[in-house]
Amino acid sequence: MQEESDNIHKLYPEDCFREINGKEGVFQMIVKDLVETRELLAEVTREDIYVIYERFENADCHCEGERVEEIECDPEEIVQILTAHPNDSLSLTSIKKYQIGVDYKDLAAVLKDIQSNFSYLLEEEKVLQPLG
């Protein structure tokens, strides 16, 4: 058990940060802060499908000894289509990931793509039949 604990400590910080230009003790990492998340198209997707919007505020952090410099980066917006595994209610699998501003101009363009290319994930519109 002690050996396993020692291995965990050996992973930090070298595996968590990237050394800058080979300088010992100088590291860089991107910090992603999830500031907004919501489910989209919930009323029209099948029961096992989730369309999730996430917005991150990002920062590029440079660490040198005890000194940390944080530089704000552009926010990041992502939409993912996830499906629930039929035999495991705790497991989700990503079907598609959209990066707004990279792959698609805006959220409206993403939703249009989902409706045209993933229409099989949406419930068919229920048409009421007249009685009698």
Side-chain angles (χ1 to χ4, degrees):
M1 188 61 137
Q2 180 62 33
E3 182 180 318
E4 183 177 320
S5 176
D6 290 343
N7 287 337
I8 290 172
H9 293 294
K10 288 179 186 174
L11 294 176
Y12 185 82
E14 293 82 9
D15 292 338
C16 298
F17 302 102
R18 180 172 51 90
E19 282 191 327
I20 301 174
N21 299 327
K23 291 183 183 177
E24 191 172 320
V26 179
F27 300 96
Q28 175 183 13
M29 71 178 195
I30 301 294
V31 176
K32 294 178 173 273
D33 185 16
L34 179 62
V35 294
E36 182 182 355
T37 185
R38 63 179 180 221
E39 185 175 359
L40 306 173
L41 303 174
E43 62 282 350
V44 297
T45 54
R46 294 187 336 221
E47 191 174 302
D48 61 335
I49 300 297
Y50 303 92
V51 179
I52 305 297
Y53 167 86
E54 298 171 315
R55 184 173 188 277
F56 296 89
E57 295 290 335
N58 297 330
D60 186 2
C61 293
H62 298 266
C63 309
E64 187 170 349
E66 292 183 13
R67 187 176 145 260
V68 176
E69 179 184 11
E70 186 176 311
I71 302 166
E72 287 190 30
C73 301
D74 290 335
E76 181 179 7
E77 294 178 286
I78 295 173
V79 174
Q80 287 195 76
I81 302 173
L82 305 169
T83 184
H85 190 279
N87 298 326
D88 183 0
S89 63
L90 301 177
S91 178
L92 294 173
T93 303
S94 180
I95 295 174
K96 174 78 174 174
K97 179 179 177 179
Y98 297 90
Q99 290 184 290
I100 298 173
V102 176
D103 301 324
Y104 291 84
K105 178 180 154 189
D106 55 22
L107 182 57
V110 170
L111 296 176
K112 184 177 179 180
D113 185 77
I114 291 170
Q115 291 171 336
S116 61
N117 293 317
F118 293 94
S119 60
Y120 63 93
L121 300 176
L122 307 176
E123 289 186 342
E124 292 183 30
E125 202 171 309
K126 294 175 177 61
V127 178
L128 295 176
Q129 298 295 325
L131 297 174

